[in-house]
């Protein structure tokens, strides 16, 4: 079985970033909502390592996604300085960091879903796996948008920072389109690397 040490080190680094993200957060309620997936993911990965150790690639991607979420939680997505820099550089009408988050929302879960399907079902790498992984990521994106809608209904204007629409009436559709694109990009770019890691893991 693969060593648990890389997972422990990565989880510890994420925990340190989580603490840094919490202190001085722009809006604490928004912070909790944004980083909730981080708080859930690492204990789950640690608890299931013995039965289902993940590839190094997936572990690295989870850490990157956690960092994206924690940065967004600290500043709120519409106020992330990196986004303002990109907005000025590219002459955009709005801070694009929220778009980065939703692209990642498809990109990282795609490799997680692919790993689960290839290891726990009879599916092989190919068109059907590609299609199912993309569909899973779209479903995750849709559920997240429903959560945002629920927060908007429950909290009202207090949910504005969590929603991060920046006045765009098509924000929900754009978010889902980015997650869809991210899911396909992850598979196009990383499938062969992922397959090699899966072979080593199962050897």
């Amino acid at each position: 079985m693969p060593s648990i040490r890389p997972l422990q080190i990565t989880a510890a680094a994420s925990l340190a970033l989580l603490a840094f993200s919490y202190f001085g957060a722009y809006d604490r309620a928004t912070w909790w909502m944004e980083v909730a997936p981080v708080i859930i993911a690492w204990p789950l990965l640690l608890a299931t390592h013995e039965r289902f150790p993940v590839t190094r690639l997936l572990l690295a991607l989870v850490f990157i996604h956690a960092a994206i979420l924690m940065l967004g939680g600290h500043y709120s997505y519409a106020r992330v300085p990196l986004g303002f820099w990109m907005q000025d550089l590219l002459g955009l009408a709005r801070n694009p960091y929220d778009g980065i988050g939703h692209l990642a929302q498809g990109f990282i879960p795609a490799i997680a879903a692919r790993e689960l399907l290839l290891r726990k079902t009879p599916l092989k790498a190919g068109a059907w796996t590609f299609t199912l992984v993309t569909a899973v990521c779209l479903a995750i994106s849709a559920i997240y948008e429903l959560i945002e809608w629920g927060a908007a209904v429950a909290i009202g204007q207090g949910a504005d920072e969590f929603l991060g629409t920046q006045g765009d009436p098509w924000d929900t559709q754009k978010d889902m389109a980015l997650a869809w694109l991210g899911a396909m990009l992850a598979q196009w770019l990383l499938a062969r690397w992922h397959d090699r890691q899966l072979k080593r893991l199962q050897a």
Side-chain angles (χ1 to χ4, degrees):
M1 186 180 69
S3 170
I4 195 174
R5 189 158 180 79
L7 174 58
Q8 291 173 328
I9 292 171
T10 314
S14 187
L15 181 62
L17 287 175
L18 187 67
F20 179 79
S21 173
Y22 176 79
F23 290 106
Y26 179 80
D27 181 86
R28 287 284 162 76
T30 299
W31 183 87
W32 280 107
M33 289 188 285
E34 297 292 4
V35 305
V38 180
I39 295 170
I40 294 168
W42 288 116
L44 183 62
L45 287 170
L46 287 163
T48 59
H49 173 78
E50 192 169 326
R51 286 174 289 128
F52 193 84
V54 301
T55 59
R56 296 284 182 93
L57 173 61
L58 179 55
L59 187 60
L61 289 173
V62 170
F63 179 78
I64 291 168
H65 198 186
I68 291 170
L69 291 169
M70 290 185 286
L71 187 61
H74 180 80
Y75 289 103
S76 90
Y77 278 82
R79 293 178 169 81
V80 173
L82 174 63
F84 285 132
W85 175 79
M86 293 174 66
Q87 183 179 359
D88 291 340
L89 180 68
L90 301 173
L92 303 175
R94 55 177 285 184
N95 187 320
Y97 190 79
D98 181 66
I100 294 172
H102 284 281
L103 188 71
Q105 192 184 65
F107 197 97
I108 285 82
I111 299 304
R114 191 175 190 274
E115 192 149 320
L116 280 166
L117 288 171
L118 291 177
R119 292 174 62 185
K120 292 297 185 179
T121 76
L123 283 168
K124 305 296 182 184
W128 274 112
T129 298
F130 186 97
T131 301
L132 283 174
V133 166
T134 305
V136 166
C137 293
L138 273 171
I140 292 170
S141 178
I143 290 168
Y144 192 82
E145 295 302 327
L146 289 172
I147 291 170
E148 287 190 343
W149 168 68
V153 171
I155 305 173
Q157 287 188 334
D160 286 350
E161 296 299 333
F162 177 54
L163 297 175
T165 61
Q166 300 178 67
D168 186 351
W170 303 107
D171 183 74
T172 297
Q173 290 80 4
K174 290 176 181 177
D175 289 347
M176 292 183 68
L178 284 168
W180 180 33
L181 177 62
M184 292 188 291
L185 281 174
Q187 295 177 87
W188 286 329
L189 296 174
L190 302 179
R192 289 184 179 179
W193 185 9
H194 191 216
D195 288 340
R196 289 195 296 271
Q197 292 212 358
L198 286 172
K199 285 181 181 178
R200 286 199 293 269
L201 187 65
Q202 296 169 329

